[in-house]
Amino acid sequence: MARQHAAERANVVQFDGVAVRYGRGPEILQDLQFALPAGSFHFLTGPSGAGKSSLLRLIYLAQRPSRGRILLFGRDTSVARRYELPALRRRVGVVFQDFRLLDHLSTLDNVALPLRIAGASEQDVRKFVPDLLNWVGLADHIDAHPPTLSGGQKQRVAIARAVIGRPDLLLADEPTGNVDDSIAMRLMYLFDELNKLGTTVVVATHNENLVSRMDYPRLVLERGRIMRG
Amino acid sequence: MIGGRSDLPLSDDSTGAYLPWLVAPMVFLSAVALAGVFILNTLIGSWDRDVAGTLTVEIAAAPGEAAESAERTRGRVEQAIGILENTPGIARARALSQEQLVTLLAPWLGSSDLLKELPLPALLDVTLEGNGGVNLVELAAKLAKSVPGASLDDHRVWLNRLIYLSRAIEWLAIAVVVLIGAVTSATVYFATGTAMAVHREVIEVLHLIGAADGYIAGQFASRAVFLGFKGGLIGLCLTLPVIFGIAVGTDRLEGGFLSDLSLPLGGWIAVLTLPLIAALLAGLTARAAVYRTLAKML
Ligand SMILES: Nc1ncnc2c1ncn2[C@@H]1O[C@H](COP(=O)(O)OP(=O)(O)O)[C@@H](O)[C@H]1O
Ligand SMILES: [Mg+2]
């Protein structure tokens, strides 16, 4: 019992018999039973429409499962109170499939959002954000607004926003969908670096080339279930 | 709540354009109504002082021969005093003596002995209690019904009637102010609801990257506070000429009882506070609208 508790705590994410359905439709995810240990790196693969985005949405608390139990950082999210959720979400960095950048904010302000929400000082914002933008190759676009950026540039802004707060868990939904393979590899190395610093990482992708070039375990989604790769 | 930076798009947002123009006429109307209440209240106060203190009841001499007439008049006087002294709010009623009457009339009629033979009307000097809570309109009717020839000081009765009418208008104006307040908050509430739809994407992103409800609501609230205050100031600017206009207009009017139509200090304070109240109201309703929308998200 005590050992099981320790194990749950060491798992950043744990799914117990989780299922998802939209409205009255069929369950698009079924009997999900897996754990992501702290410090692990996983690819989440499967054909388009397999439910990769839906699975990630469950983890970043955008959606409740229709069945089962999800533990996030050891906290059972099905019993957590609503006011506890923002603090949990702040420990998760998300690169959304459609980026979800705020068009009225500059690159700098978009990337600074997680810091400001967490109550960081403007001094810290000025210190950390330009550095990171430099790192992802956007130093020249600090004051640009998303509509003026290319797809690949937007993607890098989205990634910078996801990692600026040094999250314990990083979720990336098709983060390399809009960039060529060389840039994709650079982004993967960025995730790799973060993972080495202790961040647990999940990258959803259907880019087989990318997955095969990196030696990380996979979660394969097929017909609503996870088949270990 | 004002100041600080905002994550909301401020420019491409129609609320910013129309919210102040919804609030401005509301504040204008409430300010005029409120000024009316205060001015009226001052007027009523001064009329109240006029009808307070003492008043005079006149009882016409009864017909008939001198002795008989005097006898009957005395009876009516007793009767009137009885009614007056049993009326709440009246301290004392006392008939002027024959000598006092003669002295009063001497300047017009001379002080001849003949005067004593004339059937003179009786005058009652009525002392009111300090708080002046006597309904003179009712009293006049009661006296006229029970005592033949009795009449109450006309000017006072008319003034008393005016006071009751003004009080009714005063309550009406207060009701108008309250109603406008309710309509303003409803307007801000729905305007914010519309803004929530426009900014749904922003709200969702802030929510998903871990912003607490209070953080998001605070941003909308501080914006609403700013817009409400702006509208309030516009409304106030429209009001001031009206208030000054009333004061200047009545300065030109002759006559005692309309002399005090300028806004008293309390009224100025209340009217100048309105933009702040509008801002507060806008902020609170915006906050409520945002919380309501966020409550639907996990
Ligand atoms: N909001 C939604 N409402 C209804 N059905 C949805 C919704 N989101 C996804 N789906 C459905 O769920 C299935 C999985 O979608 P998704 O999670 O986006 O898969 P993937 O990311 O692997 O392409 C698809 O059949 C999709 O049509
Ligand atoms: Mg997807």
Side-chain angles (χ1 to χ4, degrees):
Chain A
M1 193 66 197
R3 250 180 58 198
Q4 193 200 335
H5 268 111
E8 282 185 359
R9 223 170 294 131
N11 287 331
V12 166
V13 176
Q14 184 171 331
F15 276 45
D16 283 334
V18 171
V20 170
R21 65 196 292 185
Y22 289 104
R24 295 180 165 277
E27 287 186 341
I28 56 119
L29 292 173
Q30 286 179 338
D31 297 334
L32 298 185
Q33 187 78 41
F34 67 91
L36 304 177
S40 62
F41 193 127
H42 284 85
F43 283 116
L44 177 62
T45 63
S48 180
K52 301 182 292 297
S53 297
S54 301
L55 194 155
L56 293 183
R57 265 208 295 277
L58 291 174
I59 302 177
Y60 62 74
L61 302 176
Q63 192 178 330
R64 274 191 198 288
S66 46
R67 252 183 326 126
R69 189 174 74 127
I70 296 170
L71 272 67
L72 188 58
F73 306 113
R75 183 84 179 102
D76 185 345
T77 56
S78 62
V79 298
R81 308 298 302 268
R82 194 168 185 281
Y83 64 80
E84 298 176 55
L85 300 183
L88 288 176
R89 286 192 186 99
R90 283 201 287 272
R91 296 178 64 184
V92 182
V94 185
V95 184
F96 300 97
Q97 186 164 8
D98 49 357
F99 316 139
R100 312 197 78 165
L101 301 177
L102 301 186
D103 287 348
H104 63 281
L105 296 181
S106 67
T107 298
L108 181 117
D109 285 333
N110 264 291
V111 174
L113 270 182
L115 295 181
R116 287 179 171 145
I117 283 170
S121 68
E122 285 308 296
Q123 199 183 345
D124 280 354
V125 168
R126 288 274 149 204
K127 194 162 108 201
F128 295 124
V129 178
D131 261 5
L132 180 60
L133 285 175
N134 201 17
W135 218 82
V136 296
L138 288 172
D140 294 339
H141 299 85
I142 247 178
D143 296 318
H145 286 236
T148 67
L149 298 175
S150 73
Q153 288 170 331
K154 282 188 213 170
Q155 201 148 35
R156 281 178 277 158
V157 177
I159 290 168
R161 186 180 68 187
V163 304
I164 186 75
R166 286 287 192 105
D168 296 319
L169 171 63
L170 177 68
L171 306 175
D173 197 350
E174 313 265 5
T176 56
N178 288 273
V179 294
D180 60 44
D181 271 7
S182 69
I183 292 181
M185 278 317 286
R186 260 183 55 195
L187 292 176
M188 293 316 295
Y189 287 129
L190 168 61
F191 294 154
D192 199 42
E193 287 295 320
L194 285 165
N195 179 242
K196 289 201 176 93
L197 291 172
T199 303
T200 308
V201 180
V202 180
V203 178
T205 181
H206 59 253
N207 185 337
E208 271 303 323
N209 191 18
L210 202 73
V211 177
S212 60
R213 277 161 79 173
M214 300 189 78
D215 188 25
Y216 283 120
R218 321 178 174 199
L219 299 166
V220 184
L221 269 180
E222 231 166 88
R223 269 166 275 122
R225 291 165 195 269
I226 287 186
M227 315 280 156
R228 285 278 169 179
Chain B
M1 276 207 277
I2 302 171
R5 49 175 311 288
S6 172
D7 302 326
L8 304 177
L10 299 183
S11 48
D12 57 50
D13 169 6
S14 55
T15 359
Y18 69 74
L19 194 59
W21 295 106
L22 286 176
V23 172
M26 301 292 187
V27 165
F28 171 75
L29 293 174
S30 343
V32 170
L34 209 57
V37 169
F38 275 92
I39 291 172
L40 214 51
N41 204 40
T42 316
L43 270 182
I44 291 172
S46 70
W47 293 337
D48 254 342
R49 276 193 300 285
D50 283 354
V51 294
T54 63
L55 91 139
T56 314
V57 172
E58 184 185 324
I59 296 171
E65 251 179 72
E68 194 191 337
S69 163
E71 185 63 30
R72 278 213 242 144
T73 307
R74 212 166 7 257
R76 289 174 180 183
V77 166
E78 297 295 315
Q79 208 182 344
I81 288 179
I83 289 172
L84 288 168
E85 293 204 318
N86 281 321
T87 302
I90 288 179
R92 187 156 44 83
R94 184 176 60 85
L96 296 188
S97 67
Q98 185 80 4
E99 287 71 37
Q100 282 172 308
L101 265 182
V102 169
T103 318
L104 262 176
L105 293 174
W108 290 278
L109 301 179
S111 58
S112 78
D113 281 347
L114 182 66
L115 208 52
K116 290 180 180 146
E117 303 298 314
L118 278 176
L120 288 176
L123 286 181
L124 305 188
D125 190 22
V126 182
T127 310
L128 302 179
E129 275 165 10
N131 46 23
V134 187
N135 184 339
L136 296 184
V137 181
E138 259 173 34
L139 182 62
K142 194 157 120 196
L143 274 179
K145 210 177 80 190
S146 345
V147 186
S151 69
L152 213 66
D153 195 328
D154 260 356
H155 173 69
R156 299 276 179 98
V157 175
W158 180 82
L159 213 49
N160 204 240
R161 206 167 268 160
L162 198 61
I163 287 173
Y164 284 105
L165 180 66
S166 305
R167 284 250 156 80
I169 294 173
E170 202 179 358
W171 281 111
L172 202 65
I174 289 171
V176 165
V177 173
V178 170
L179 212 61
I180 290 170
V183 170
T184 309
S185 11
T187 307
V188 177
Y189 192 81
F190 289 114
T192 316
T194 312
M196 295 291 291
V198 173
H199 299 316
R200 174 135 198 128
E201 174 68 12
V202 181
I203 290 163
E204 231 170 77
V205 169
L206 291 176
H207 178 71
L208 287 179
I209 65 180
D213 291 358
Y215 178 91
I216 302 173
Q219 300 223 335
F220 277 89
S222 50
R223 179 144 165 70
V225 163
F226 169 75
L227 294 175
F229 190 66
K230 187 171 154 191
L233 286 183
I234 296 171
L236 199 60
C237 289
L238 299 175
T239 316
L240 296 183
V242 175
I243 295 176
F244 282 122
I246 291 173
V248 171
T250 48
D251 267 358
R252 300 218 188 101
L253 269 179
E254 301 293 320
F257 70 82
L258 278 184
S259 60
D260 204 9
L261 270 189
S262 60
L263 193 57
L265 182 65
W268 277 115
I269 292 172
V271 166
L272 291 175
T273 313
L274 279 177
L276 290 177
I277 292 174
L280 191 72
L281 210 60
L284 290 178
T285 43
R287 187 173 284 273
V290 175
Y291 269 110
R292 197 188 49 152
T293 304
L294 282 170
K296 289 178 199 146
M297 297 181 192
L298 171 61

